[in-house]
């Protein structure tokens, strides 16, 4: 297939481009050229907000829209595209209001989430535009993505703490549960959608099993062969000042995804891949001042 991937320079979009190129597809990436490009892809250097006729001469079998955040993003891209076979939009679990009963199902009414704010409502507006204008588009709603090429300061933060032998400061008693999805599994699921073309158009995606913070930290430290010294922090300290996730627990119902793709990357294995990539790419991590806050307030 000839596939267009939006972005293609960091984490989810770069992994996606390299995944499908590695499968023998002709992959084009659309970005402004401000970062090094992946090998084995064709770079379409353009600003997505001023595409004009830049894509009119192209015919794509599939568009994998990994980097759109709002209605304007999907609208301008689709208006600039020529003929397209399939369209997959990576949305977010942030479209579900936190007031809904859990686990969140695809058929629930979506709306504002006070934790995610405009990020969630913007993604929802993009979904709505696609539903009205690209009715054959697939929409995927993942929880926290992780894995190889993750430049966000999540598992990388825990690896840094483990490598330096630091104790790990855990919110409350570490019982808040987290749901993850490996970037490789996201790509495999997109591949299956392109192959099978199921009738269902919106899918929650993610690991069916959640882990609590204690388990996740132990798994990250375990990749380095270490056991963390966990120190619990009370609710009076803002969680995001020393921990990489919001104080928000949610679970997605991924029954429909599991029926199509039952086998997923084990979390321990996925974290091992994250660590191996991080070891050689530390400079690509978008760091936050978590360690500074810990040093100033806990040590």
């Amino acid at each position: 297939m000839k596939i267009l991937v939006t972005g293609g320079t960091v984490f989810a979009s770069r992994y996606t481009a390299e995944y499908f190129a590695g499968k023998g597809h002709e992959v084009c990436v659309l970005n402004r050229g401000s970062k090094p490009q992946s090998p084995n892809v064709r770079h379409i250097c353009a600003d997505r907000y001023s595409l004009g006729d830049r894509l009119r001469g192209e015919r794509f079998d599939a568009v994998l829209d990994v980097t759109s955040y709002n209605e304007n993003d999907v609208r301008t891209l689709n208006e600039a595209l020529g003929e397209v076979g399939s369209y997959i939009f990576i949305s977010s679990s942030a479209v579900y209001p936190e007031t809904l009963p859990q686990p969140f199902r695809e058929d629930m009414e979506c709306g504002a989430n006070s934790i995610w704010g405009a990020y969630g409502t913007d993604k929802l507006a993009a979904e709505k535009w696609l539903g009205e204008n690209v009715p054959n588009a697939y929409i995927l709603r993942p929880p926290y993505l992780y894995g190889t090429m993750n430049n966000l300061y999540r598992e990388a933060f825990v690896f840094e703490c483990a490598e330096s032998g630091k104790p790990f400061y855990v919110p409350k008693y570490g019982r808040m549960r987290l749901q993850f999805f490996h970037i490789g599994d996201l790509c495999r699921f997109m591949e299956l959608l392109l192959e099978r073309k199921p009738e269902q158009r919106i899918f929650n995606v993610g690991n069916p099993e959640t882990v609590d913070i204690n388990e996740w930290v132990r798994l990250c430290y375990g990749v380095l062969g270490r056991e963390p010294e966990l120190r619990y922090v009370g609710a009076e300290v803002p969680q995001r000042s020393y921990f990489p996730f919001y104080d928000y627990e949610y679970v997605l119902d991924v029954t429909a995804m599991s029926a199509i793709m039952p086998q997923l990357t084990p979390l321990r294995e996925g974290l091992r891949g994250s660590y191996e990539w991080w070891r050689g790419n530390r400079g690509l991590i978008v760091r936050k001042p978590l360690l500074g806050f810990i040093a100033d307030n806990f040590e």
Side-chain angles (χ1 to χ4, degrees), residues 265-280:
T265 303
L267 185 54
R268 186 185 304 275
E269 179 183 323
L271 288 171
R272 188 176 298 113
S274 293
Y275 176 65
E276 292 303 321
W277 179 84
W278 172 76
R279 289 177 64 190

Side-chain angles (χ1 to χ4, degrees), residues 120-140:
T121 52
D122 285 349
K123 283 283 192 179
L124 186 57
E127 288 190 10
K128 184 175 184 293
W129 189 92
L130 286 171
E132 294 171 350
N133 296 276
V134 189
N136 65 339
Y138 288 106
I139 293 169
L140 305 186

